[in-house]
């Protein structure tokens, strides 16, 4: 019943329209990050949508949904030429967003970028929360994500496909429990993975959106 009511509300959304602007952000090593800025108010915090440089359309269509939750969006392309280079790109994007709004950001990433977002959040007070879609041990051999998450004190939302769930559960919880980790397991298993679980093409995407909306509500309650 609650899910049905939520879906009625979700379908009734009139998505916010804001100007999309291509921006270029200076990063370490004389590099430049290309990003898409969706700015509706300088008083609103940012969600950074982190993706690989060869997958610029990964979050197409999602920005309007997050903007309806009263966030600005910055869709950021990071380098795939090394973990530290990609983290530097994310940090530079956080600094850029803070030039517009001083509030802590939410990082959202899929697959390798989900793991990079977790690494970037570690010890970073400018990051409020992380949304990790199908993270994994993509940063080895230098870095084990299962060790990184032990040092993260921000709120984290993690989801994956049903088949990935046991692997993700072990990565984030090991033998213990973590109060700051929200791990979502879908009721129905599909082949959709990473950011694709939120896409309209996924027939079970409403499950994920409902869990994600509950996570945002949790963040608001902790303010």
């Amino acid at each position: 019943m609650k899910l049905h009511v939520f879906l009625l509300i979700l379908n009734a959304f009139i998505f916010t329209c804001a100007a999309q602007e291509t921006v270029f952000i200076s990063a370490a090593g004389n590099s430049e990050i290309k990003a898409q800025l969706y700015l509706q108010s300088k008083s609103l915090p940012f969600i950074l949508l982190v993706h690989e440089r060869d997958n610029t359309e990964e979050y197409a269509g999602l920005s309007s949904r997050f903007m309806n939750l009263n966030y600005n969006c910055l869709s950021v392309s990071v380098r795939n030429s090394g973990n530290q280079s990609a983290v530097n790109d994310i940090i530079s994007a956080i600094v850029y967003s803070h030039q517009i709004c001083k509030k802590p950001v939410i990082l959202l990433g899929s697959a390798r970028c989900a793991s990079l977002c977790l690494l970037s959040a570690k010890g970073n007070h400018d990051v409020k929360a992380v949304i990790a879609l199908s993270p994994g041990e993509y940063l080895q051999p230098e870095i084990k994500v299962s060790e990184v998450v032990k040092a993260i004190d921000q709120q984290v939302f993690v989801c994956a496909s049903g088949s990935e769930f046991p692997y993700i559960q072990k990565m984030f919880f090991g033998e213990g429990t973590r109060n700051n980790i929200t791990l979502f397991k879908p009721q129905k298993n599909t082949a959709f993975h990473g950011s694709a679980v939120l896409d309209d093409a996924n027939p079970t995407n409403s499950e994920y959106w409902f869990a994600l909306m509950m996570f945002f509500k949790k963040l608001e309650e902790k303010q």
Side-chain angles (χ1 to χ4, degrees):
M1 181 63 181
K2 289 182 179 179
L3 178 59
H4 178 68
V5 172
F6 171 78
L7 291 177
L8 288 177
I9 295 172
L10 187 63
N11 289 333
F13 274 172
I14 301 174
F15 291 142
T16 304
C17 294
Q20 174 184 347
E21 178 185 359
T22 300
V23 296
F24 294 91
I25 303 168
S26 298
N30 294 320
S31 180
E32 198 171 53
I33 308 164
K34 183 178 181 181
Q36 298 298 319
L37 174 64
Y38 301 84
L39 181 65
Q40 55 180 339
S41 172
K42 292 184 178 181
S43 65
L44 294 177
F46 273 85
I47 295 179
L48 270 56
L49 309 173
V50 181
H51 55 82
E52 305 280 5
R53 287 192 174 179
D54 59 355
N55 197 13
T56 57
E57 297 300 315
E58 182 172 12
Y59 302 112
L62 294 185
S63 58
S64 58
R65 294 195 182 221
F66 292 122
M67 289 165 66
N68 259 301
L69 299 174
N70 290 324
Y71 286 90
N72 297 311
C73 287
L74 187 66
S75 182
V76 183
S77 298
V78 299
R79 284 172 281 185
N80 54 15
S81 58
N83 297 329
Q84 192 55 54
S85 295
V87 168
N88 288 342
D89 291 346
I90 295 172
I91 299 302
S92 297
I94 294 172
V95 172
Y96 176 87
S97 72
H98 275 218
Q99 293 173 354
I100 300 172
C101 175
K102 301 297 182 183
K103 297 177 181 179
V105 305
I106 295 175
L107 299 178
L108 184 152
S110 169
R112 173 179 177 259
C113 286
S115 299
L116 289 169
C117 286
L118 291 164
L119 181 58
S120 302
K122 178 182 174 183
N124 191 337
H125 297 297
D126 291 330
V127 177
K128 177 181 180 179
V130 179
I131 298 171
L133 310 176
S134 298
E137 295 293 0
Y138 295 100
L139 311 183
Q140 288 188 347
E142 310 101 270
I143 299 163
K144 286 194 68 176
V145 176
S146 58
E147 292 298 319
V148 171
V149 297
K150 293 178 182 178
I152 293 178
D153 54 13
Q154 296 98 327
Q155 292 293 316
V156 179
F157 177 85
V158 191
C159 71
S161 65
S163 60
E164 294 172 314
F165 187 82
Y167 166 74
I168 298 294
Q169 186 175 39
K170 184 177 180 180
M171 177 187 300
F172 279 84
F173 291 100
E175 301 301 324
T177 58
R178 297 289 306 279
N179 293 330
N180 65 316
I181 306 294
T182 299
L183 179 56
F184 172 66
K185 181 181 181 179
Q187 293 180 356
K188 298 178 182 179
N189 192 22
T190 68
F192 289 85
H193 162 90
S195 59
V197 300
L198 299 177
D199 193 86
D200 289 339
N202 176 16
T204 66
N205 76 84
S206 58
E207 277 193 79
Y208 293 91
W209 277 111
F210 180 73
L212 191 52
M213 293 306 100
M214 294 302 99
F215 178 72
F216 277 104
K217 182 179 179 181
K218 181 178 179 180
L219 291 180
E220 291 175 3
E221 291 171 351
K222 288 185 175 294
Q223 287 182 350

